[in-house]
Amino acid sequence: MTSEEIREKFLKYFEERGHTRVPSSSLVSEDDASVLFTTAGMQQFKPYYTGVKDPQVDFGSYSTTSAQKCIRTSDIEEVGDDTHLTFFEMLGNFSFGKGAYFKKEAIAFAHEFITKEMGLTIDYVSIFQGEEGVPRDDGSERIWKSLDPEIEVREFGREDNFWGPTGDEGPCGPTTEVYVNGVEIWNIVFNEYYCDIEKNLTPLEQKGVDTGMGLERLLVHSNGVESIYETDLFTNILREASKLTEDTRSQRIIAEHVRSAIFMIADGVIPSNTDRGYILRRLLRRTVTRSDTKKIEKENIKALVGLIIEKYSGVYRNLKDNTVITEESYIEESSNPTARSITMPIISVIETEIEKFERTIEKGLKEFEKMKSNGIDGKEAFILFSTYGFPLELTQELAKENGIKVDVNEFEKEMQKHKEASRTASAGMFKGGLQDHSEKSLKYHTATHLLLAGLRAVLGEHVEQRGSNINEERLRLDFTHPEKMTDEQKDKVEDFVNNAISQNLPVSFSEMSVEEAKEMGALGVFEDKYGDKVKVYKVSDLSMEICGGPHVERTGEMGTFRIKKEESVSAGVRRIKAVLE
């Protein structure tokens, strides 16, 4: 059976048994800020398990079924083997208490669907063995035995047979799992408890059923193949990916990561250095580094994207639509980098990100060629990382191809030095960078934040602050960048800052924990140098940094920004001197 046939067979099976078919929710959860992505089918149904919402009102039933888009990021490094994925579809059926069903019906549905509808043999099932406060799931064992007296029932602890919650809190409970060919393919969760933020369990007034079965994994066993990548979901995509690399694992990584990226972008995620955007950026960069030439031609990426959209658009129609990008500064060539909203096709987002990284890679490869004759020591590997955006694994891969080794220990030492220097620069920005508290110095202090934001918008997000010095007459900012800025680039940075000034934007700050600042995407080095609380200064939505302050209240107070000089300080570090007129 094809993926389309299995997906439809599952949904139709439960529809015929009183379930309402519900479309997949977005990969970006609107109601659950505790998770970056939707990771399970039950996530969109959490309010129905707790009684906050009434499924009868919203769905006309106390039972639903869905094929849910999911992203899980814990195993990115394992992608490319036979089983691990970043994006996958979870087939599920759900029951929300009251007049709905519980263990007996849920287990009977699973047994019938696997053995009769799919024609597969169950190796064994597992149940929760129990622990203090949560009893052994004897009921599930009895139900399985009533359906098949010869079935093997194994028992496991919390790690294997107790699920949830998704996010920091929510419904959870013991599970029973179905194994085929030695692999767990269906997880049936009995939501009997609510887990709060302190991890305390409270019995739910209305119990529910939440099940999840990976479409890709079911497809493997249904078709009797060894790998996810041998199924119809990947056959054509891998054929196209083979044009980029001869290595089988790399072909799989490219195919899987482009597929994941498409679904993320379609749900509104764009590449950045924080949160969801960072995951997307990482996937696309891994795609580039896995190609044999460290470059992907436009016709290749268009073909890959086209094949994937064609495969899925019948089910997920938003793949054919454009996605709204909320920061035009993402596009380097933008003539108006402070514009707040544009619309772009999915392919354009991917092409832009890949082109950005390829420019970085190209410069780094030239530097690598200069270095390799005498081997790559840890300091050189760190320069490739900090200045040219080369991940350590890419440097190691290139070095291996040239028969040389990389001193990883020295690289780690250089990384630690970098963190210490950055931490000092960030934590001491007020103390070390600002020479006095005069009105003019405060204006320059705020202008420095906007300058850094402008440099990152125009040159790329590899730009990091390396130091600053501010007085009543000028500001000075040192930052990472591998080459001299062009006049056009300097003009764009000036425009960025002056546009912000002309809009008279508010400058605000809030105190929070380091972890909260990190989750918000504030620039800074998140190490133990900071205290329990830090100040995060924001200039509207253009700039957000950990900083001791002080600043102007609104950008309109600052005047006109002019770059007076741009020069080299050291290898990979540039310096700008600027004034406010």
Side-chain angles (χ1 to χ4, degrees):
M1 282 188 283
T2 66
S3 56
E4 290 86 357
E5 289 170 338
I6 290 180
R7 187 192 294 111
E8 182 59 27
K9 177 183 278 289
F10 180 90
L11 296 172
K12 188 175 181 180
Y13 173 87
F14 282 100
E15 273 189 315
E16 291 174 347
R17 287 154 181 81
H19 295 65
T20 298
R21 185 186 300 206
V22 178
S24 171
S25 65
S26 170
L27 285 171
V28 179
S29 176
E30 296 179 0
D31 301 319
D32 191 350
S34 66
V35 293
L36 284 181
F37 292 105
T38 298
T39 60
M42 70 83 64
Q43 218 156 308
Q44 69 168 313
F45 299 119
K46 284 172 73 171
Y48 302 101
Y49 288 106
T50 57
V52 174
K53 291 184 177 182
D54 187 341
Q56 185 68 44
V57 172
D58 291 345
F59 308 125
S61 170
Y62 288 108
S63 306
T64 62
T65 185
S66 70
Q68 173 65 50
K69 300 175 291 186
C70 297
I71 290 282
R72 291 185 184 173
T73 60
S74 57
D75 297 319
I76 287 178
E77 299 296 335
E78 304 302 319
V79 169
D81 63 9
D82 287 341
T83 60
H84 288 91
L85 296 168
T86 307
F87 170 85
F88 64 96
E89 292 178 85
M90 184 174 286
L91 305 174
N93 56 289
F94 310 91
S95 169
F96 307 114
K98 292 185 179 178
Y101 59 85
F102 198 47
K103 292 185 180 182
K104 181 179 179 181
E105 295 86 351
I107 291 174
F109 287 148
H111 181 267
E112 182 178 51
F113 185 81
I114 291 295
T115 60
K116 295 182 180 179
E117 296 290 322
M118 297 301 301
L120 297 172
T121 300
I122 297 175
D123 289 350
Y124 65 91
V125 297
S126 64
I127 63 167
F128 182 56
Q129 68 184 16
E131 62 178 40
E132 184 177 355
V134 183
R136 182 180 186 275
D137 191 5
D138 297 329
S140 289
E141 182 177 35
R142 286 194 298 270
I143 296 165
W144 281 114
K145 289 291 187 181
S146 71
L147 295 169
D148 180 359
E150 302 300 319
I151 200 167
E152 180 183 358
V153 179
R154 301 181 184 180
E155 58 181 69
F156 298 101
R158 177 178 281 266
E159 184 174 346
D160 295 295
N161 278 85
F162 193 97
W163 179 258
T166 56
D168 295 330
E169 59 181 320
C172 60
T175 75
T176 182
E177 298 176 340
V178 180
Y179 287 76
V180 175
N181 297 327
V183 176
E184 179 258 308
I185 65 167
W186 203 343
N187 190 12
I188 304 167
V189 183
F190 302 117
N191 284 313
E192 301 182 54
Y193 302 93
Y194 188 90
C195 180
D196 64 23
I197 199 84
E198 302 296 330
K199 304 308 174 188
N200 299 310
L201 298 181
T202 305
L204 286 169
E205 289 187 16
Q206 57 182 54
K207 296 176 172 56
V209 174
D210 149 31
T211 85
M213 176 163 54
L215 170 64
E216 292 85 352
R217 191 172 290 185
L218 179 59
L219 191 58
V220 166
H221 294 289
S222 173
N223 292 345
V225 295
E226 297 296 323
S227 164
I228 291 167
Y229 298 96
E230 295 176 47
T231 67
D232 68 276
L233 290 173
F234 283 99
T235 306
N236 291 337
I237 310 171
L238 284 173
R239 191 176 298 116
E240 188 63 35
S242 68
K243 298 176 183 178
L244 301 172
T245 175
E246 295 181 358
D247 180 70
T248 299
R249 186 182 181 95
S250 293
Q251 292 169 11
R252 292 177 171 186
I253 291 171
I254 290 170
E256 199 282 337
H257 284 0
V258 173
R259 185 179 78 144
S260 300
I262 288 170
F263 276 93
M264 291 164 71
I265 294 165
D267 281 348
V269 181
I270 60 169
S272 71
N273 277 351
T274 57
D275 299 331
R276 300 179 186 94
Y278 172 74
I279 300 299
L280 175 55
R281 170 160 286 166
R282 184 181 176 193
L283 294 180
L284 290 174
R285 289 187 171 189
R286 279 172 59 84
T287 297
V288 175
T289 60
R290 281 290 174 168
S291 65
D292 287 345
T293 61
K294 308 298 181 282
K295 186 175 179 64
I296 301 180
E297 299 296 338
K298 281 191 174 183
E299 57 265 27
N300 294 123
I301 197 65
K302 282 181 178 177
L304 275 169
V305 171
L307 287 169
I308 295 165
I309 288 178
E310 181 182 1
K311 182 66 176 174
Y312 285 97
S313 58
V315 181
Y316 304 107
R317 300 187 184 282
N318 66 329
L319 292 183
K320 282 195 172 180
D321 297 336
N322 286 344
T323 183
V324 175
I325 308 302
T326 56
E327 291 194 31
E328 189 168 347
S329 58
Y330 171 68
I331 310 299
E332 281 189 343
E333 293 77 17
S334 169
S335 59
N336 181 13
T338 59
R340 304 318 310 150
S341 179
I342 60 173
T343 300
M344 293 176 61
I346 293 169
I347 182 62
S348 297
V349 180
I350 294 175
E351 285 179 343
T352 300
E353 182 63 21
I354 286 177
E355 286 170 4
K356 280 185 176 183
F357 187 52
E358 285 176 349
R359 288 197 292 271
T360 302
I361 287 284
E362 184 178 355
K363 296 169 187 173
L365 286 172
K366 291 177 181 177
E367 193 67 22
F368 178 87
E369 290 299 317
K370 297 177 188 176
M371 295 175 175
K372 74 177 185 181
S373 58
N374 297 316
I376 305 291
D377 62 26
K379 290 182 179 178
E380 290 171 324
F382 183 75
I383 289 173
L384 289 172
F385 166 76
S386 60
T387 304
Y388 299 96
F390 267 41
L392 176 60
E393 58 266 25
L394 175 57
T395 301
Q396 290 175 305
E397 180 183 324
L398 292 171
K400 185 177 180 180
E401 291 173 2
N402 287 270
I404 56 180
K405 290 185 177 181
V406 177
D407 189 335
V408 177
N409 290 332
E410 189 176 12
F411 174 88
E412 295 297 340
K413 289 179 182 177
E414 290 298 313
M415 175 67 82
Q416 190 58 39
K417 288 181 187 177
H418 161 74
K419 289 180 178 180
E420 291 291 339
S422 297
R423 184 163 62 234
T424 301
S426 292
M429 187 171 182
F430 173 74
K431 187 184 297 183
L434 191 62
Q435 292 187 3
D436 58 59
H437 295 188
S438 69
E439 181 180 347
K440 197 64 180 288
S441 293
L442 300 192
K443 294 177 181 179
Y444 276 122
H445 194 188
T446 307
T448 304
H449 282 224
L450 289 172
L451 172 57
L452 180 60
L455 289 167
R456 287 167 63 84
V458 174
L459 302 179
E461 293 185 351
H462 65 278
V463 172
E464 293 181 354
Q465 181 173 320
R466 284 291 179 269
S468 67
N469 183 269
I470 297 164
N471 58 36
E472 282 196 332
E473 297 178 353
R474 57 100 181 107
L475 68 83
R476 188 182 75 203
L477 177 69
D478 295 347
F479 61 97
T480 56
H481 188 58
E483 60 191 11
K484 183 178 180 179
M485 290 177 66
T486 65
D487 289 341
E488 183 182 6
Q489 288 171 333
K490 286 184 282 187
D491 287 344
K492 285 186 176 181
V493 172
E494 278 190 357
D495 289 344
F496 181 99
V497 177
N498 284 319
N499 281 333
I501 292 172
S502 68
Q503 293 178 61
N504 196 25
L505 300 171
V507 181
S508 60
F509 78 90
S510 54
E511 291 191 79
M512 62 189 71
S513 68
V514 174
E515 189 57 38
E516 288 172 325
K518 181 178 180 180
E519 290 177 358
M520 286 178 62
L523 295 181
V525 181
F526 302 100
E527 303 291 344
D528 55 8
K529 179 74 174 180
Y530 296 126
D532 293 336
K533 294 286 185 180
V534 294
K535 286 184 178 180
V536 174
Y537 273 85
K538 295 180 65 177
V539 183
S540 185
D541 56 354
L542 294 180
S543 169
M544 181 164 53
E545 295 186 44
I546 293 178
C547 178
H551 291 275
V552 298
E553 293 185 0
R554 300 191 75 89
T555 58
E557 304 171 27
M558 294 163 55
T560 301
F561 177 82
R562 292 284 181 262
I563 293 175
K564 289 296 186 181
K565 191 173 185 180
E566 190 268 345
E567 60 188 351
S568 173
V569 176
S570 61
V573 179
R574 309 292 299 178
R575 172 174 291 171
I576 278 180
K577 293 180 181 178
V579 298
L580 291 168
E581 298 174 344

